[in-house]
Amino acid sequence: MKNQVLFPWLLFSLILLLSSSITGQTSADLSWWKPANSSFPVIDGGGWSAELKDTIQRLPGRAKSLVRPPVWGLSLQPAGLFIRFFSNAPQIKVRYQIVGSPGMPHMPATGVSGVDLYAIDSDGTWHFCAGKYSFKDTVEYNFDKLKPTDGYHKLGREYRLYLPLYKGLSGLEIGVPIDSKFTPLPKMAEKPIVVYGTSIAQGACASRPGMAWTNILSRKFDRPVINLGFSGNGRLEPEIIGLINEIDAKVYVLDCLPNMTTERFSAPDLQKRIIEAVKSIRAKHPKTPILLTEHAGYSEGFMVPTRQTFYQEANLSLQTAVDQLKLDRVPALYTLTFADINFDLDATVDGTHPNDYGMMLQAQAYEKKLRDILREPQGALITQKPIRQSREPGSYNWEERHNTIKTLHATEPGKILFIGNSITHNWGGKPLNDRIKGADSWVKYLEPLQVRNLGFGWDRIENVLWRVYHDELEGIAPEKIVINIGTNNLLINTDEEIIEGLVFLIEAIKTRQPFASVYVLGLYPRREREARILKLNQGIQTMAKSNAVTYANIGATLLLPTGKIDEKLFSDGLHPNAEGYQILGKALSATLNPVKK
């Protein structure tokens, strides 16, 4: 009898033990962080930071008295909002309570009221994190057995947590093991893409938040996309346009036609609203591109001809309005067409709202159009794809340095921009940092020329391309731009990929600074790679001539007559010491400021 009583307890204990090993650490083992307690704005993907520091909604509180009640209610659903943080945790938990009425019956609960977690590794590559979830009074997501770090360091990586598309939430908390690092990140300082649209823009009917086309687009451009999609209520209303005008955007997207077909709006009224919305934005933002989107159509349009007529008439009204705006000489106006989006019969859930496949088609169409508008092409090679990095977060903050440089451009514009990697970063000049090894030579040779240091430790060609695409060359008029980048690509790329990446980068620079003289420096020599760099530099020199830029190989001054590096000029076979920087400074000064005979 005694054994019969003992056995169930042993079985129960074993089940508890197994359950613990499956679900990971308990809540008691976790340290919890609340966005509401942050001292700085952490809710990203939205506007009005000063008014919405820790508030999870899409419009500022004062909008309640400006917009119609349905629009205000939908603005409390955090579609497109996300939170960034840095962590090396092997487990991340998220919990919150949902607010609002039942969701859309043809949309998964994971999309309506769930969250989505993505990671960015040290090389800037995106990774999806699959989590186990429970939808009860408190929604819980558990992301367990995560790879906590990369090969570069043990400090972890950046994460982006996308919030629900069709439910408000309260009491949001993020938990990690108490011995793990967790650092919330401030809102991105990049100019956003602003989208004003319908349920399709809000996210119906994505299976999870990360698959809403606006969030896909945000990842593709690594830029916030402010989602002002209001389900059934995207009507180009002047109250919303007025709020949009308060945002300094990279581009404005107006995608309201699915809520404005001729079933609801006459052609003259629709044309009038389009024209007034565009002219209102243009009056406040004279040069910012405006993209007008046609109705993407209905998957069953052939079988239901009246529906086909509705969207075709709406698209005709849009084109008529665009023609009038062009006659009125409204600049920087673009159209994303029905054909560009190119939905097929399997792209929607119900003939109207995209499924995940349809969301991807929509995102790809927008990406192609916006890359043309913003002059941000992306090539086939990795050296031609703009991408961020975090290979040295313990030494410096890559994103913070990027933002500091943009601020310096506005307050202390330099005549010469010097783009490079750690060798440039460590040399001297502003932005000031504690890595500087060649301050004396910088002050002596480069400061008199007003050189701005745009060197970033561990940067590769593709990382510089990201910085160029994210406005490091905007709002300034330098006389000269010097490029010394590629030595970190030696570890992963062929010589051809490096040269083709430089061609791509030079074109991006010339597009933004057509009046600046561009110089490309040969790669500096480094221990045990002297022969490869010699050959590569010959290729770079040929490329420079073909692309009408000036080539200089100042790094040759660091070589011995044997062709090997002069070790006494280096600290580690790669980075020059103070004496090496003196020699480079003299050579670079002579290149940029030659003595006239």
Side-chain angles (χ1 to χ4, degrees), residues 468-534:
V468 169
Y469 282 1
H470 286 74
D471 303 334
E472 273 193 25
L473 301 185
E474 301 297 323
I476 51 175
E479 297 174 3
K480 300 174 183 179
I481 299 175
V482 183
I483 307 167
N484 178 229
I485 197 71
T487 195
N488 291 321
N489 292 92
L490 291 171
L491 308 176
I492 60 170
N493 296 114
T494 65
D495 291 1
E496 181 183 6
E497 289 170 337
I498 291 171
I499 292 171
E500 290 302 313
L502 286 171
V503 171
F504 211 80
L505 176 60
I506 288 168
E507 181 60 29
I509 291 171
K510 284 184 170 183
T511 297
R512 287 155 180 80
Q513 292 292 339
F515 303 111
S517 299
V518 179
Y519 294 71
V520 60
L521 303 183
L523 270 61
Y524 300 142
R526 55 189 293 180
R527 183 188 298 146
E528 297 179 358
R529 288 186 172 87
E530 294 94 339
R532 181 185 176 187
I533 290 173
L534 175 63

Coordinates of all heavy atoms in Angstrom, one line a residue, residues 468-534:
V468 N 25.9 55.3 -46.1 CA 25.6 56.3 -47.1 C 24.1 56.3 -47.4 O 23.5 57.4 -47.6 CB 26.4 55.9 -48.4 CG1 25.9 56.7 -49.6 CG2 27.9 56.1 -48.2
Y469 N 23.4 55.2 -47.5 CA 22.0 55.1 -47.7 C 21.2 55.7 -46.5 O 20.0 56.1 -46.7 CB 21.5 53.7 -47.9 CG 21.8 53.2 -49.3 CD1 22.5 53.9 -50.3 CD2 21.5 51.9 -49.7 CE1 22.8 53.4 -51.5 CE2 21.7 51.4 -51.0 CZ 22.4 52.1 -51.9 OH 22.7 51.7 -53.1
H470 N 21.8 55.8 -45.4 CA 21.1 56.3 -44.2 C 21.7 57.7 -43.8 O 21.8 58.0 -42.6 CB 21.3 55.3 -43.0 CG 20.4 54.1 -43.2 ND1 20.7 53.1 -44.1 CD2 19.2 53.7 -42.6 CE1 19.7 52.2 -44.0 NE2 18.8 52.5 -43.1
D471 N 21.9 58.5 -44.8 CA 22.0 59.9 -44.7 C 23.3 60.5 -44.2 O 23.4 61.6 -43.7 CB 20.8 60.5 -43.9 CG 19.5 60.1 -44.5 OD1 19.4 59.9 -45.7 OD2 18.5 60.0 -43.7
E472 N 24.4 59.7 -44.2 CA 25.7 60.3 -43.7 C 26.3 61.3 -44.7 O 27.2 62.0 -44.3 CB 26.7 59.1 -43.4 CG 26.6 58.6 -42.0 CD 27.7 57.7 -41.6 OE1 28.8 57.9 -42.1 OE2 27.5 56.9 -40.7
L473 N 25.7 61.3 -45.9 CA 26.2 62.3 -46.9 C 25.2 63.4 -47.1 O 25.3 64.2 -48.1 CB 26.6 61.6 -48.2 CG 27.7 60.6 -48.1 CD1 28.1 60.1 -49.5 CD2 28.9 61.1 -47.4
E474 N 24.1 63.5 -46.3 CA 23.0 64.4 -46.6 C 23.3 65.7 -45.8 O 23.9 65.8 -44.8 CB 21.7 63.8 -46.1 CG 21.3 62.5 -46.8 CD 21.2 62.7 -48.3 OE1 20.6 63.7 -48.8 OE2 21.6 61.7 -49.1
G475 N 22.8 66.8 -46.4 CA 22.8 68.1 -45.7 C 24.2 68.8 -45.7 O 24.4 69.7 -44.9
I476 N 25.1 68.3 -46.5 CA 26.5 68.9 -46.4 C 27.0 69.0 -47.9 O 26.4 68.5 -48.8 CB 27.5 67.9 -45.7 CG1 27.4 66.5 -46.2 CG2 27.2 68.0 -44.2 CD1 28.4 65.5 -45.6
A477 N 28.1 69.7 -48.0 CA 28.6 70.0 -49.4 C 30.2 69.9 -49.3 O 30.9 70.9 -49.5 CB 28.2 71.3 -49.9
P478 N 30.7 68.7 -49.0 CA 32.2 68.5 -48.9 C 32.8 68.8 -50.3 O 32.2 68.5 -51.4 CB 32.3 67.1 -48.5 CG 31.1 66.4 -49.0 CD 30.0 67.4 -48.9
E479 N 34.1 69.2 -50.2 CA 34.8 69.4 -51.5 C 35.4 68.1 -51.9 O 35.5 67.8 -53.1 CB 36.0 70.4 -51.2 CG 35.4 71.8 -50.9 CD 36.6 72.7 -50.5 OE1 37.7 72.3 -50.5 OE2 36.3 73.9 -50.1
K480 N 35.8 67.2 -51.0 CA 36.5 66.0 -51.3 C 36.0 64.9 -50.4 O 35.6 65.1 -49.2 CB 38.0 66.1 -51.2 CG 38.6 67.2 -52.1 CD 40.1 67.4 -51.8 CE 40.6 68.5 -52.7 NZ 42.1 68.7 -52.4
I481 N 35.9 63.6 -51.0 CA 35.5 62.4 -50.2 C 36.6 61.4 -50.4 O 36.9 61.0 -51.6 CB 34.1 61.9 -50.6 CG1 33.1 63.0 -50.3 CG2 33.8 60.7 -49.8 CD1 31.7 62.7 -50.8
V482 N 37.2 60.9 -49.4 CA 38.2 59.9 -49.4 C 37.7 58.5 -49.0 O 37.1 58.5 -47.9 CB 39.4 60.3 -48.6 CG1 40.6 59.3 -48.7 CG2 39.9 61.7 -48.9
I483 N 37.9 57.5 -49.7 CA 37.4 56.2 -49.4 C 38.6 55.2 -49.1 O 39.5 55.1 -50.0 CB 36.6 55.6 -50.5 CG1 35.5 56.5 -50.9 CG2 36.0 54.2 -50.1 CD1 34.8 56.1 -52.2
N484 N 38.7 54.6 -48.0 CA 39.7 53.6 -47.7 C 39.0 52.5 -47.0 O 38.9 52.4 -45.8 CB 40.8 54.1 -46.9 CG 41.9 53.1 -46.5 OD1 42.3 52.9 -45.4 ND2 42.3 52.3 -47.5
I485 N 38.4 51.6 -47.7 CA 37.6 50.5 -47.2 C 37.8 49.2 -48.0 O 38.1 49.2 -49.2 CB 36.1 50.9 -47.2 CG1 35.3 50.0 -46.2 CG2 35.5 50.9 -48.6 CD1 35.6 50.2 -44.8
G486 N 37.8 48.1 -47.3 CA 37.9 46.8 -47.9 C 38.8 45.8 -47.3 O 38.7 44.6 -47.5
T487 N 39.6 46.2 -46.3 CA 40.6 45.3 -45.7 C 39.8 44.2 -44.9 O 40.2 43.1 -44.9 CB 41.6 46.0 -44.9 OG1 42.7 45.1 -44.6 CG2 41.0 46.5 -43.6
N488 N 38.7 44.6 -44.3 CA 37.9 43.6 -43.5 C 37.1 42.6 -44.5 O 36.7 41.6 -44.0 CB 36.9 44.3 -42.6 CG 37.7 45.0 -41.5 OD1 38.7 44.5 -40.9 ND2 37.2 46.2 -41.1
N489 N 37.0 43.0 -45.7 CA 36.3 42.1 -46.7 C 37.3 41.1 -47.2 O 36.9 40.0 -47.8 CB 35.8 42.9 -47.9 CG 34.7 43.8 -47.6 OD1 34.9 45.0 -47.3 ND2 33.5 43.3 -47.7
L490 N 38.6 41.3 -47.0 CA 39.6 40.3 -47.4 C 39.3 38.9 -46.7 O 39.6 37.9 -47.3 CB 41.0 40.7 -47.0 CG 41.6 41.9 -47.8 CD1 42.9 42.3 -47.1 CD2 41.8 41.5 -49.2
L491 N 38.7 38.9 -45.5 CA 38.5 37.7 -44.8 C 37.3 36.9 -45.4 O 37.3 35.6 -45.1 CB 38.1 38.0 -43.3 CG 39.1 39.0 -42.6 CD1 38.6 39.3 -41.2 CD2 40.5 38.4 -42.6
I492 N 36.4 37.5 -46.2 CA 35.2 36.7 -46.6 C 34.9 36.9 -48.1 O 34.1 36.2 -48.6 CB 34.0 37.2 -45.8 CG1 33.7 38.7 -46.0 CG2 34.1 36.8 -44.3 CD1 32.4 39.1 -45.4
N493 N 35.6 37.8 -48.8 CA 35.3 38.1 -50.2 C 36.4 37.9 -51.1 O 37.6 38.0 -50.7 CB 34.8 39.5 -50.3 CG 33.5 39.8 -49.6 OD1 33.5 40.6 -48.6 ND2 32.4 39.1 -50.0
T494 N 36.1 37.6 -52.4 CA 37.1 37.6 -53.4 C 37.5 39.0 -53.8 O 36.8 40.0 -53.5 CB 36.6 36.9 -54.7 OG1 35.5 37.7 -55.2 CG2 36.0 35.5 -54.3
D495 N 38.6 39.1 -54.5 CA 39.1 40.4 -55.0 C 38.0 41.0 -55.9 O 37.8 42.2 -55.9 CB 40.4 40.3 -55.8 CG 41.6 39.9 -54.8 OD1 41.3 39.8 -53.6 OD2 42.7 39.8 -55.3
E496 N 37.4 40.2 -56.8 CA 36.4 40.7 -57.7 C 35.2 41.3 -56.9 O 34.7 42.4 -57.3 CB 35.9 39.6 -58.6 CG 34.9 40.1 -59.6 CD 34.3 39.0 -60.5 OE1 34.7 37.8 -60.3 OE2 33.6 39.3 -61.4
E497 N 34.8 40.6 -55.9 CA 33.7 41.1 -55.1 C 34.0 42.4 -54.4 O 33.2 43.3 -54.2 CB 33.3 40.0 -54.0 CG 32.6 38.8 -54.6 CD 32.4 37.7 -53.6 OE1 33.2 37.6 -52.6 OE2 31.6 36.8 -53.8
I498 N 35.2 42.5 -53.9 CA 35.7 43.8 -53.3 C 35.7 44.9 -54.3 O 35.1 46.0 -54.0 CB 37.1 43.6 -52.7 CG1 37.0 42.6 -51.5 CG2 37.7 44.9 -52.3 CD1 38.3 42.2 -50.9
I499 N 36.2 44.7 -55.5 CA 36.2 45.8 -56.5 C 34.8 46.1 -57.0 O 34.5 47.3 -57.1 CB 37.1 45.3 -57.7 CG1 38.6 45.2 -57.2 CG2 37.0 46.3 -58.9 CD1 39.5 44.6 -58.3
E500 N 34.0 45.1 -57.2 CA 32.6 45.4 -57.6 C 31.8 46.1 -56.5 O 31.0 47.0 -56.8 CB 31.9 44.1 -58.0 CG 32.4 43.5 -59.3 CD 32.3 44.5 -60.5 OE1 31.3 45.1 -60.7 OE2 33.3 44.6 -61.2
G501 N 32.1 45.8 -55.3 CA 31.5 46.5 -54.2 C 31.9 48.0 -54.1 O 31.1 48.9 -53.8
L502 N 33.2 48.2 -54.4 CA 33.7 49.6 -54.4 C 33.1 50.4 -55.5 O 32.7 51.6 -55.4 CB 35.2 49.6 -54.5 CG 36.0 49.2 -53.3 CD1 37.5 49.0 -53.6 CD2 35.8 50.2 -52.2
V503 N 32.9 49.8 -56.7 CA 32.2 50.5 -57.8 C 30.8 50.9 -57.4 O 30.4 52.0 -57.6 CB 32.2 49.5 -59.0 CG1 31.3 50.1 -60.1 CG2 33.5 49.3 -59.6
F504 N 30.1 50.0 -56.7 CA 28.7 50.2 -56.3 C 28.7 51.4 -55.3 O 27.9 52.3 -55.3 CB 28.2 48.9 -55.6 CG 26.7 48.7 -55.8 CD1 26.2 48.3 -57.0 CD2 25.9 49.0 -54.7 CE1 24.8 48.1 -57.1 CE2 24.5 48.8 -54.8 CZ 24.0 48.4 -56.0
L505 N 29.7 51.3 -54.3 CA 29.8 52.4 -53.3 C 30.1 53.7 -53.9 O 29.5 54.8 -53.5 CB 30.8 52.0 -52.3 CG 31.1 53.0 -51.1 CD1 29.9 53.3 -50.3 CD2 32.3 52.5 -50.3
I506 N 31.0 53.8 -54.8 CA 31.4 55.0 -55.4 C 30.2 55.7 -56.2 O 30.0 56.9 -56.1 CB 32.6 54.8 -56.4 CG1 33.9 54.5 -55.6 CG2 32.8 56.0 -57.3 CD1 35.0 54.0 -56.4
E507 N 29.4 54.8 -56.8 CA 28.2 55.3 -57.5 C 27.2 55.9 -56.5 O 26.6 57.0 -56.8 CB 27.6 54.2 -58.3 CG 26.4 54.6 -59.1 CD 26.6 55.7 -60.1 OE1 27.8 55.8 -60.6 OE2 25.7 56.5 -60.4
A508 N 27.1 55.2 -55.4 CA 26.1 55.8 -54.4 C 26.6 57.1 -53.8 O 25.8 58.0 -53.6 CB 26.0 54.7 -53.2
I509 N 27.9 57.2 -53.7 CA 28.5 58.5 -53.2 C 28.3 59.6 -54.2 O 27.9 60.7 -53.9 CB 30.0 58.3 -52.8 CG1 30.1 57.4 -51.5 CG2 30.7 59.6 -52.5 CD1 31.5 57.0 -51.2
K510 N 28.7 59.3 -55.4 CA 28.5 60.3 -56.5 C 27.1 60.8 -56.7 O 26.8 61.9 -57.0 CB 29.1 59.8 -57.8 CG 30.6 59.7 -57.9 CD 31.0 59.2 -59.3 CE 32.5 59.4 -59.5 NZ 32.9 59.0 -60.9
T511 N 26.1 59.8 -56.5 CA 24.7 60.2 -56.7 C 24.3 61.2 -55.6 O 23.6 62.2 -55.9 CB 23.9 58.9 -56.5 OG1 24.2 58.0 -57.5 CG2 22.4 59.3 -56.5
R512 N 24.9 61.1 -54.4 CA 24.5 62.1 -53.3 C 25.4 63.3 -53.3 O 25.0 64.3 -52.8 CB 24.6 61.3 -52.0 CG 23.4 60.3 -51.9 CD 23.6 59.2 -50.9 NE 22.5 58.3 -50.9 CZ 22.2 57.4 -51.8 NH1 23.0 57.2 -52.9 NH2 21.0 56.7 -51.7
Q513 N 26.6 63.2 -53.8 CA 27.6 64.3 -53.8 C 28.2 64.5 -55.1 O 29.4 64.2 -55.3 CB 28.6 64.1 -52.7 CG 28.1 64.1 -51.2 CD 27.7 65.5 -50.8 OE1 28.1 66.5 -51.4 NE2 26.8 65.6 -49.8
P514 N 27.4 64.9 -56.1 CA 28.0 64.9 -57.5 C 29.1 66.0 -57.7 O 29.8 65.9 -58.7 CB 26.7 65.3 -58.3 CG 25.8 66.0 -57.4 CD 26.0 65.3 -56.0
F515 N 29.2 66.9 -56.8 CA 30.2 68.0 -57.0 C 31.4 67.8 -56.2 O 32.4 68.6 -56.2 CB 29.6 69.4 -56.6 CG 28.3 69.7 -57.4 CD1 27.1 69.7 -56.8 CD2 28.4 69.9 -58.8 CE1 25.9 70.0 -57.6 CE2 27.3 70.1 -59.6 CZ 26.0 70.2 -58.9
A516 N 31.5 66.7 -55.4 CA 32.7 66.4 -54.6 C 33.7 65.6 -55.4 O 33.3 64.8 -56.2 CB 32.3 65.7 -53.3
S517 N 35.0 65.9 -55.2 CA 36.0 65.1 -55.8 C 36.2 63.8 -55.0 O 36.3 63.9 -53.8 CB 37.3 65.8 -55.9 OG 37.2 67.0 -56.7
V518 N 36.2 62.6 -55.6 CA 36.2 61.4 -54.9 C 37.6 60.8 -55.1 O 38.1 60.7 -56.2 CB 35.1 60.4 -55.4 CG1 35.3 59.1 -54.7 CG2 33.8 61.0 -55.2
Y519 N 38.2 60.3 -54.0 CA 39.5 59.7 -53.9 C 39.3 58.3 -53.4 O 38.6 58.1 -52.4 CB 40.5 60.4 -53.0 CG 40.9 61.8 -53.5 CD1 40.0 62.8 -53.4 CD2 42.2 62.0 -54.0 CE1 40.4 64.1 -53.9 CE2 42.6 63.3 -54.4 CZ 41.6 64.3 -54.3 OH 42.0 65.6 -54.7
V520 N 39.9 57.3 -54.0 CA 39.9 55.9 -53.4 C 41.3 55.5 -53.2 O 42.2 55.6 -54.0 CB 39.2 54.9 -54.4 CG1 39.9 54.8 -55.7 CG2 39.1 53.6 -53.7
L521 N 41.6 55.2 -51.9 CA 42.9 54.7 -51.5 C 43.1 53.2 -51.7 O 42.1 52.5 -51.4 CB 43.2 55.1 -50.1 CG 43.0 56.6 -49.7 CD1 43.4 56.8 -48.2 CD2 43.9 57.5 -50.6
G522 N 44.3 52.8 -52.1 CA 44.5 51.4 -52.1 C 44.5 50.9 -50.7 O 44.7 51.6 -49.7
L523 N 44.2 49.6 -50.5 CA 44.2 49.0 -49.2 C 45.6 49.1 -48.6 O 46.6 48.9 -49.3 CB 43.8 47.5 -49.3 CG 42.2 47.3 -49.1 CD1 41.5 47.9 -50.2 CD2 42.0 45.8 -49.1
Y524 N 45.6 49.4 -47.3 CA 46.9 49.5 -46.6 C 47.5 48.0 -46.5 O 46.7 47.1 -46.4 CB 46.8 50.0 -45.2 CG 46.3 51.5 -45.2 CD1 45.4 51.8 -44.1 CD2 46.6 52.4 -46.1 CE1 44.9 53.1 -44.1 CE2 46.1 53.7 -46.0 CZ 45.3 54.1 -45.0 OH 44.8 55.3 -44.9
P525 N 48.8 47.9 -46.5 CA 49.4 46.5 -46.4 C 49.1 46.0 -45.0 O 49.0 46.7 -44.0 CB 50.9 46.8 -46.7 CG 51.1 48.2 -46.3 CD 49.8 48.9 -46.6
R526 N 49.1 44.6 -44.9 CA 48.9 44.0 -43.6 C 49.7 42.7 -43.6 O 50.0 42.1 -44.7 CB 47.5 43.7 -43.3 CG 46.7 43.0 -44.3 CD 45.2 42.9 -44.0 NE 44.9 42.2 -42.8 CZ 43.6 42.0 -42.4 NH1 42.6 42.6 -43.0 NH2 43.4 41.4 -41.3
R527 N 50.1 42.3 -42.5 CA 51.0 41.1 -42.3 C 50.4 39.9 -43.0 O 49.3 39.6 -42.8 CB 51.3 40.9 -40.8 CG 52.3 39.7 -40.6 CD 52.3 39.4 -39.1 NE 52.8 40.6 -38.3 CZ 52.3 40.9 -37.1 NH1 51.4 40.1 -36.5 NH2 52.8 41.9 -36.4
E528 N 51.3 39.2 -43.8 CA 51.0 37.9 -44.4 C 50.0 38.1 -45.6 O 49.5 37.0 -46.1 CB 50.5 36.9 -43.4 CG 51.6 36.6 -42.4 CD 51.1 35.5 -41.4 OE1 49.9 35.1 -41.5 OE2 51.9 35.2 -40.5
R529 N 49.5 39.3 -45.9 CA 48.6 39.5 -47.0 C 49.2 40.5 -48.0 O 48.4 41.0 -48.8 CB 47.2 39.9 -46.5 CG 46.5 38.8 -45.8 CD 45.1 39.2 -45.4 NE 44.3 38.1 -45.0 CZ 44.2 37.7 -43.7 NH1 45.0 38.3 -42.8 NH2 43.5 36.6 -43.3
E530 N 50.5 40.8 -47.9 CA 51.1 41.8 -48.8 C 50.9 41.5 -50.2 O 50.6 42.4 -51.0 CB 52.5 42.0 -48.4 CG 52.8 42.5 -47.0 CD 53.1 41.4 -46.0 OE1 52.6 40.3 -46.3 OE2 53.7 41.7 -45.0
A531 N 51.1 40.3 -50.6 CA 51.1 39.9 -52.1 C 49.6 40.1 -52.6 O 49.4 40.6 -53.7 CB 51.6 38.5 -52.3
R532 N 48.7 39.6 -51.8 CA 47.3 39.7 -52.3 C 46.8 41.2 -52.4 O 46.2 41.5 -53.4 CB 46.3 38.9 -51.4 CG 44.9 39.0 -51.9 CD 43.9 38.4 -50.9 NE 42.5 38.6 -51.4 CZ 41.4 38.3 -50.7 NH1 41.5 37.7 -49.5 NH2 40.2 38.5 -51.3
I533 N 47.2 41.9 -51.4 CA 46.8 43.4 -51.4 C 47.5 44.1 -52.6 O 46.9 45.0 -53.2 CB 47.1 44.0 -50.1 CG1 46.2 43.4 -49.0 CG2 47.0 45.5 -50.2 CD1 46.5 43.9 -47.6
L534 N 48.7 43.8 -52.9 CA 49.4 44.4 -54.0 C 48.6 44.1 -55.3 O 48.4 45.1 -56.1 CB 50.8 43.8 -54.2 CG 51.6 44.3 -55.4 CD1 51.9 45.8 -55.3 CD2 53.0 43.5 -55.5

